[in-house]
Amino acid sequence: MTANQARPLQGIRVLDLTVALAGPYGSMMLGGMGAEVIRVEAPGGGDIARTNPPFVGDHGIHFGQREGHDVSLTILNRARNKKSITLDLKSEQGRELFMRLAEASDVVIENFSEGTTAKLGVDYEQVRLRNPRIVYASVKAMGEPSAFPGLKGMDIIVQALSGLMEVTGYADGPPTRCGLPIADLVAPMYAVNGILAALIHRGRTGEGQRVQVSMLDCLASWVAEEHFDVLVREGYPSRNGNFHDRLAPFGVYPTQDGHVAIVAFQPDWMRGLLESIGQPALLDDPRFSSRGPRMRNAGALNEIICGWTSRRSTAAVVSDLLDKRGVPCAPVRKPDEVLHDQRLHDSGALMTLSHPQAGPVDAVGMGLPIRFSATPSQFDQPAMALGGANDEIYGGLLKLSPHELRALREAGIV
């Protein structure tokens, strides 16, 4: 990036009160797009994610006890493009310093447990009294007020309540958790959308507002996309494993050395698939001649396809279907293959993480998979040590004297 290239959100200041993943991923996205993100953490401890193994330090990557210059890989990944300050929000002085920062900011984003910001005196109602233009975003597990009061909103809990778990896995197996913390990742993306929309609204009207996002709402809205209410009512199982019967043939099939994903619901793709397996006459079979009957007889069709793929290598299946006939088909790649795909690093979707002192480490982190034609964006600033920006923010932005800052440190406020 050259000196004259501004980022999309340059000039926007964000006060970040988030912890774990459901909020920090959102504030990191804002930082990658150019916002100045000031991450507020408790003195002496900070985000609980700082204690997540594995750690990186003087002894490389390890899963032992954190010591010395060790930093959690979690923090190296999620705390990039943020300025870390410490602040005791439970103290009167701490709350006042926060309010002064809020007066000089555009956005507050938080994902504390329900009622916490009100107890601390830093909720939207209090903040907007000091800054009516503030965009105040809250990410909660089950909304606020919660329909499940007292229940901690961990990702697996939200997956269970959303119905997503019940539609994931095989019909004859148990409900299955998604392999990634999908609720923790989806909710902050919706929050960022809401923040950007609220900033546009403020640009037109001068009005700030509160943006509320529920992890449960986000996942439930996704479950509704597939009309499971209608499918189950008509006798279809809610779980189809690696297959999607409404679009049969559509699924993951075994090969001699792995698995392939095949999509062939379009007429020309179906014809190419059946020619490949040597059974073009199945096009005239009333069970498979059109999409409606194929949905009812997806199991029988998948068995035929599995019989063919399981006798061939992954490369041979891809060659027969994709290369020769244009049928969508791809190998099922292992995570390590994906994380070391140079094309994904070149695109910026993935990137090597850096330790704030030691530099690059042997670990891959999330990139920012958004490209702008005129304004660069990326997570290119390494995670800061806890309180690493205290002098810059308190001394520079709030104009506190060295004596005042020293007194705050001695009192445990920062």
Side-chain angles (χ1 to χ4, degrees):
M1 183 175 95
T2 61
N4 63 348
Q5 285 182 297
R7 296 197 176 193
L9 296 181
Q10 185 167 319
I12 297 296
R13 181 176 291 129
V14 178
L15 274 185
D16 179 10
L17 292 175
T18 63
V19 295
L21 177 57
Y25 182 43
S27 57
M28 185 172 73
M29 291 182 70
L30 296 171
M33 290 187 284
E36 179 189 15
V37 178
I38 301 173
R39 190 173 196 219
V40 181
E41 299 182 73
D47 187 349
I48 192 174
R50 290 187 179 274
T51 65
N52 287 353
F55 303 104
V56 183
D58 298 336
H59 305 293
I61 298 176
H62 67 90
F63 288 81
Q65 185 69 28
R66 183 178 59 165
E67 58 184 38
H69 294 113
D70 286 353
V71 180
S72 168
L73 270 183
T74 298
I75 288 297
L76 293 185
N77 198 9
R78 301 176 191 172
R80 289 169 291 166
N81 287 65
K82 303 178 186 182
K83 298 175 179 179
S84 173
I85 65 170
T86 52
L87 185 61
D88 179 11
L89 292 174
K90 296 179 181 179
S91 68
E92 185 175 344
Q93 282 180 286
R95 284 192 295 274
E96 178 56 26
L97 286 171
F98 177 84
M99 288 300 182
R100 289 178 60 185
L101 289 170
E103 288 176 337
S105 299
D106 302 282
V107 176
V108 171
I109 180 171
E110 61 89 13
N111 70 326
F112 285 136
S113 298
E114 183 178 2
T116 299
T117 55
K119 290 177 183 177
L120 293 172
V122 296
D123 57 320
Y124 173 59
E125 297 303 326
Q126 295 301 314
V127 171
R128 74 170 179 169
L129 292 176
R130 300 285 290 264
N131 183 358
R133 289 174 53 83
I134 201 73
V135 171
Y136 192 109
S138 297
V139 180
K140 303 300 179 189
M142 274 77 78
E144 194 171 24
S146 171
F148 303 89
L151 181 59
K152 291 293 184 183
M154 309 304 291
D155 180 270
I156 192 170
I157 299 296
V158 177
Q159 286 196 39
L161 289 172
S162 72
L164 177 66
M165 201 179 289
E166 178 60 31
V167 302
T168 305
Y170 289 90
D172 58 354
T176 303
R177 168 188 171 271
C178 177
L180 290 169
I182 190 167
D184 280 333
L185 291 167
V186 167
M189 289 194 288
Y190 277 104
V192 168
N193 280 336
I195 288 167
L196 297 180
L199 287 172
I200 292 171
H201 172 80
R202 191 187 71 174
R204 290 198 307 263
T205 67
E207 295 178 326
Q209 62 181 303
R210 189 178 185 192
V211 175
Q212 293 179 273
V213 172
S214 157
M215 295 161 64
L216 178 57
D217 287 355
C218 292
L219 287 196
S221 71
W222 280 21
V223 171
E225 187 277 335
E226 194 50 41
H227 304 296
F228 284 102
D229 52 343
V230 175
L231 295 175
V232 172
R233 191 162 62 235
E234 293 298 316
Y236 292 96
S238 59
R239 295 192 297 278
N240 289 294
N242 283 331
F243 303 103
H244 189 2
D245 291 352
R246 184 169 60 78
L247 299 175
F250 182 117
V252 175
Y253 302 86
T255 65
Q256 287 180 331
D257 54 357
H259 292 81
V260 292
I262 299 172
V263 177
F265 63 88
Q266 296 279 34
D268 53 339
W269 297 344
M270 181 65 169
R271 184 177 299 103
L273 171 62
L274 294 181
E275 288 174 353
S276 290
I277 68 178
Q279 299 198 51
L282 289 179
L283 279 174
D284 299 320
D285 188 317
R287 297 175 300 166
F288 311 130
S289 58
S290 64
R291 286 183 57 185
R294 285 205 298 268
M295 184 175 178
R296 288 289 185 190
N297 296 281
L301 180 57
N302 286 328
E303 281 188 26
I304 293 170
I305 299 169
C306 285
W308 177 74
T309 60
S310 62
R311 298 192 302 271
R312 287 163 175 76
S313 69
T314 297
V317 173
V318 172
S319 176
D320 269 350
L321 293 181
L322 179 63
D323 299 339
K324 295 179 181 177
R325 294 177 173 85
V327 178
C329 177
V332 176
R333 297 200 289 179
K334 293 179 171 58
D336 193 59
E337 294 178 77
V338 176
L339 295 178
H340 292 90
D341 185 333
Q342 189 58 48
R343 292 168 295 185
L344 294 173
H345 284 263
D346 292 343
S347 74
L350 301 171
M351 55 196 309
T352 301
L353 293 175
S354 290
H355 188 284
Q357 283 85 35
V361 300
D362 186 19
V364 177
M366 298 177 284
L368 183 61
I370 305 172
R371 290 291 154 269
F372 299 91
S373 64
T375 50
S377 60
Q378 193 47 273
F379 308 134
D380 51 2
Q381 300 299 315
M384 277 191 176
L386 182 65
N390 278 354
D391 288 344
E392 175 190 351
I393 300 304
Y394 293 124
L397 180 60
L398 296 189
K399 308 298 183 186
L400 298 184
S401 69
H403 172 74
E404 289 174 308
L405 188 50
R406 183 167 57 253
L408 290 170
R409 285 197 179 101
E410 291 172 353
I413 305 299
V414 302

